[in-house]
Amino acid sequence: MFAGENCILATDTNVWAVQTNPALLAYCGQTEVGAAYSTNYLATDMVCSRINACTRMKQLTTAVSATIFGNTHFRESCFSGSIARKLNFYNALAVKFTITRQFQEEYAPKLSVYPEFAYFGEQKKLSYGIHIVNPLRLFRQSSRAIFVTKLIVNYRINDIVYCSGMFSQKTDVAPTVSLGIGAKPSKYLQAGISYSTHETPVTLLLQIPLERIQCYYETAYNYYLGMTHSMGLLIKW
């Protein structure tokens, strides 16, 4: 789903940055609310829904997010709060706290609470960031703690075309590398394609920004499970 493992959106300065790099929230100049819905390949009863919101204060940007994934047999709920601040025009930091609850039939629910830290920097055409989830592996109820390191790089080739890369390392999982290229031919259109070594290798994205509304459509292909689709709506004021 938007801004999760999609490197095309990795440096977008909107409320979807809560998932990719919370430090980018510092560059949001307005109050924003985004809602998204995603199918899960051939598992028609397995869906994912998400709502993000952020608001700009004098020196800080605060954001909250809620995500629910699963069905009646398995469900994961994730709630988070973020605070981001610009150090200067080219650098920003963020702190985020996340609560995750997993429910599975015939098993006791599992609860995890953990911190996240993020940095974003920019130099001319190059921008970069790092997002670390639970670096100390704290506050876990299960034996396996969540730990993620995500590195993001974006290079603007010209005023229209840009390329992006993302490296992600999760607990007990092989590293994921994602490469993508995108284009913004006008302020009303953004499109791109990315390839990932993750189990979902190819992702297509179409974004149509209007005056205060942005509409998103994203589709991804899996070798074994076929296509999945995500739709989202973002409102600014």
Side-chain angles (χ1 to χ4, degrees):
M1 187 177 284
F2 310 113
E5 297 294 337
N6 192 336
C7 63
I8 303 172
L9 294 174
T11 55
D12 273 13
T13 53
N14 55 39
V15 73
W16 301 121
V18 172
Q19 276 74 41
T20 302
N21 188 333
L24 284 163
L25 293 167
Y27 295 89
C28 294
Q30 300 172 288
T31 297
E32 301 183 10
V33 176
Y37 173 87
S38 177
T39 62
N40 193 53
Y41 303 102
L42 297 178
T44 56
D45 63 335
M46 188 80 75
V47 297
C48 179
S49 56
R50 170 179 295 157
I51 183 167
N52 292 1
C54 72
T55 185
R56 180 69 183 271
M57 304 169 71
K58 287 185 177 181
Q59 295 183 335
L60 300 173
T61 300
T62 59
V64 293
S65 175
T67 302
I68 298 177
F69 169 80
N71 55 22
T72 57
H73 305 289
F74 171 84
R75 183 168 61 254
E76 181 175 282
S77 305
C78 182
F79 305 94
S80 70
S82 307
I83 298 176
R85 187 182 191 279
K86 285 184 182 179
L87 301 179
N88 51 47
F89 188 78
Y90 300 103
N91 297 274
L93 293 174
V95 178
K96 174 182 173 182
F97 284 91
T98 300
I99 301 173
T100 300
R101 182 181 184 273
Q102 287 186 346
F103 165 81
Q104 188 172 359
E105 284 187 341
E106 301 179 358
Y107 294 93
K110 296 180 180 179
L111 185 69
S112 299
V113 182
Y114 48 89
E116 304 181 26
F117 304 94
Y119 164 79
F120 174 79
E122 187 173 18
Q123 292 184 355
K124 296 183 179 180
K125 294 184 177 182
L126 180 68
S127 57
Y128 42 86
I130 181 170
H131 181 195
I132 302 176
V133 179
N134 196 14
L136 302 178
R137 306 193 180 193
L138 301 174
F139 310 114
R140 62 188 185 276
Q141 194 177 65
S142 60
S143 57
R144 191 180 66 143
I146 299 171
F147 176 70
V148 182
T149 301
K150 190 182 299 180
L151 303 174
I152 303 160
V153 178
N154 180 285
Y155 182 77
R156 187 160 294 280
I157 299 172
N158 52 43
D159 293 337
I160 297 176
V161 182
Y162 62 93
C163 56
S164 301
M166 181 186 297
F167 172 86
S168 179
Q169 175 67 70
K170 298 183 180 181
T171 307
D172 301 332
V173 177
T176 297
V177 176
S178 178
L179 299 174
I181 186 167
K184 292 183 179 180
S186 74
K187 67 177 182 178
Y188 298 111
L189 179 65
Q190 176 181 354
I193 183 171
S194 66
Y195 177 83
S196 173
T197 58
H198 190 256
E199 61 181 14
T200 304
V202 179
T203 300
L204 297 173
L205 170 73
L206 177 64
Q207 172 184 340
I208 305 176
L210 304 175
E211 288 298 325
R212 294 183 178 273
I213 299 175
Q214 289 181 325
C215 302
Y216 295 82
Y217 171 75
E218 182 182 31
T219 184
Y221 172 76
N222 182 284
Y223 288 124
Y224 306 102
L225 301 179
M227 305 290 291
T228 187
H229 307 276
S230 299
M231 294 148 283
L233 182 69
L234 188 152
I235 301 175
K236 304 180 180 182
W237 69 89

